[in-house]
Amino acid sequence: MTARELIVEADGGSRGNPGPAGYGAVVLDPATGETLAEAAEYIGVATNNVAEYKGLIAGLKAARELFPDAAVHVRMDSKLVVEQMSGRWKIKHPDMKPLAAEAGRVYPAGQVRYEWIPRERNKHADRLANEAMDAGKQGRQWQPADSSGSFAARDAAAARAAAAPPPSGPPGDATAGAARARAALTGTGAGRSTGTGTGGSGHAGQSDDALFPADEAVAAQARASLAAAGTAERESAAAARSGSGLAEASGDFEAEAAAEGHAGHAGHGGRGRTHAPAAEAPPAQGWTGPDMGAPATFVLLRHGETALTPEKRFSGSGGTDPELSAAGLRQAEAVAAALAARGTIQEIVSSPLTRCRQTAETVAARLGLSVRIEEGLRETDFGAWEGLTFAEVRERHAEDLDAWLASPKAEPTGGGESFATVARRVAATRDRLTAAHAGRTVLLVTHVTPIKTLIRLALGAPPESLFRMELSAASLSAVAYYADGNASVRLLNDTAHLR
């Protein structure tokens, strides 16, 4: 199985060169950009180059602590370190030779590749290095709480919020609950974060993936509780789990149709992280130890807009197969630039419909990859509803629409596909692709219903949850699939690249 991939960004600085120096390093999830670990240390008087090498070493060690078998992509703005560690430049300075040798021993050479990046793209590690130097100026070492993005600071705030009287509204506090769970697992009140001492490196808390093994028993219990609580409580609990408000059911699939009497969307508008097992996994007792080897990571890209999208019309696989509009082409270029900057996509698979192929080809041209077509990623066939707005369907086919909203087995008027049929098709496609791409990061360019179905199945959520997710044109979501059948939803409806 291909090793899990990690990104390490590192930097070092010296205020005087030589002068008071420090380093910073961060380990990132390449699929989501999530921070998995941070390290920083004040190292006394040293040169910039020494600090940069020490930052590299700390970053590699932090990555090894998380995943010893990982394939690591190091990104630094030090041309010297990148070229020397890549073997293209000789190491002549006596102070650099032992540091380079130490960095080379952290991982086998074949597991690490190096890339130079401009300084403006290395801001996270640069910030940590400056925080370390600031701490040194105060006569102390950097601590995780010094980091503006630390788990410790976030969890402490969440715990304080949880201690207050519960507010009105949906029950539960997912953020505070995660903080308490992390604290319970580690025996502290602030997650896994530990500071650095002289000669050591600091590691922020592990990602939620590592801290919370997937557990079907917990998911099953949650589903049972939701069912017993009734519709109002179920919607509130779903809102608490997903971190967003809910709205009445709307026909917000490929058309994102605005429903009269079912209007409104659960506006995520950003990143959501939820971790739960695949729907098909058998129940387990207690916390299980899942296969945390390298997953097949699917980055799910909804195609850009067509002329039908802003008009909120049903547009599935049984209609006119529209092209991207001018706005959709701009969206495709924007997401291509964002994915190129992230640099983690290894393969691209697309729905056969034109709007997806155009979006996929735009990304592929930017990344230098080819596009493979997968029939199973096509959108639902909406039958006689193709090209209509939700209001028009309500006016012409009210009984069929009510049945469709009430049951995943109901088909649109005129013999379209039910959501149950689509779920079977998408699940079979998922299984083929995960088997073929284990350990790799694959971009799937597809549509609203397939993406929502993949998210629903990964969460073990009921079919009606399809109506409870917002999915914007050209948005990114991500799911990681592990060999033991568990899945982790890492991203939902990210549109930051479009702003």
Side-chain angles (χ1 to χ4, degrees), residues 133-199:
M133 287 184 278
D134 290 343
K137 188 176 180 180
Q138 298 169 16
R140 61 182 182 85
Q141 278 294 346
W142 179 90
Q143 297 294 325
D146 294 330
S147 172
S148 60
S150 72
F151 282 126
R154 189 172 66 221
D155 289 356
R160 286 194 299 272
S168 59
D173 181 341
T175 301
R180 287 194 296 267
R182 275 199 290 268
L185 286 170
T186 59
T188 71
R192 284 284 301 271
S193 300
T194 58
T196 62
T198 302

Side-chain angles (χ1 to χ4, degrees), residues 377-396:
L377 294 177
R378 63 181 173 80
E379 179 58 292
T380 305
D381 181 346
F382 290 114
W385 301 351
E386 294 279 359
L388 301 180
T389 65
F390 194 92
E392 289 169 341
V393 173
R394 167 68 69 193
E395 181 181 351
R396 302 178 193 183

Side-chain angles (χ1 to χ4, degrees), residues 440-463:
R440 297 182 68 76
T441 299
V442 183
L443 180 70
L444 305 188
V445 187
T446 179
H447 310 263
V448 168
T449 313
I451 293 174
K452 288 186 176 184
T453 298
L454 288 169
I455 298 293
R456 178 183 78 77
L457 294 175
L459 294 175

Side-chain angles (χ1 to χ4, degrees), residues 194-469:
T194 58
T196 62
T198 302
S201 62
H203 304 287
Q206 290 184 2
S207 70
D208 289 348
D209 290 335
L211 286 170
F212 304 120
D215 186 350
E216 175 62 19
V218 174
Q221 182 180 10
R223 288 196 293 273
S225 298
L226 294 177
T231 302
E233 287 81 0
R234 181 168 64 248
E235 292 186 352
S236 296
R241 286 198 309 274
S242 65
S244 64
L246 295 179
E248 290 293 322
S250 71
D252 73 333
F253 293 94
E254 188 60 22
E256 289 187 299
E260 293 181 356
H262 296 274
H265 297 300
H268 297 282
R271 303 188 176 206
R273 289 187 300 149
T274 310
H275 306 279
E280 295 79 9
Q285 297 300 319
W287 292 106
T288 62
D291 175 4
M292 293 305 291
T297 300
F298 291 168
V299 178
L300 310 174
L301 170 59
R302 184 192 171 193
H303 62 79
E305 288 186 6
T306 72
L308 300 180
T309 307
E311 296 180 4
K312 302 185 183 299
R313 296 183 179 276
F314 284 94
S315 180
S317 57
T320 58
D321 192 17
E323 297 181 343
L324 294 180
S325 63
L329 291 170
R330 289 193 297 271
Q331 291 168 340
E333 291 288 353
V335 75
L339 292 171
R342 185 172 291 172
T344 58
I345 301 299
Q346 296 170 296
E347 298 180 56
I348 301 176
V349 181
S350 174
S351 157
L353 299 185
T354 300
R355 51 198 181 271
C356 284
R357 286 191 290 104
Q358 286 181 295
T359 305
E361 287 162 4
T362 300
V363 176
R366 190 69 174 262
L367 301 184
L369 298 173
S370 59
V371 177
R372 184 166 74 81
I373 300 301
E374 170 55 63
E375 178 67 25
L377 294 177
R378 63 181 173 80
E379 179 58 292
T380 305
D381 181 346
F382 290 114
W385 301 351
E386 294 279 359
L388 301 180
T389 65
F390 194 92
E392 289 169 341
V393 173
R394 167 68 69 193
E395 181 181 351
R396 302 178 193 183
H397 309 287
E399 290 186 4
D400 289 347
L401 180 60
D402 287 341
W404 181 75
L405 291 171
S407 171
K409 297 180 180 179
E411 298 176 350
T413 307
E417 289 181 293
S418 69
F419 287 140
T421 299
V422 174
R424 287 191 294 270
R425 163 164 60 85
V426 170
T429 302
R430 174 204 61 196
D431 293 345
R432 287 197 307 274
L433 293 176
T434 53
H437 302 292
R440 297 182 68 76
T441 299
V442 183
L443 180 70
L444 305 188
V445 187
T446 179
H447 310 263
V448 168
T449 313
I451 293 174
K452 288 186 176 184
T453 298
L454 288 169
I455 298 293
R456 178 183 78 77
L457 294 175
L459 294 175
E464 58 265 30
S465 63
L466 292 174
F467 296 105
R468 304 293 188 244
M469 288 182 266

Side-chain angles (χ1 to χ4, degrees), residues 63-83:
R64 185 182 63 185
E65 184 174 313
L66 293 172
F67 297 99
D69 298 325
V72 180
H73 178 189
V74 174
R75 303 195 298 206
M76 298 181 68
D77 60 46
S78 171
K79 189 75 170 176
L80 175 81
V81 175
V82 168
E83 294 300 318

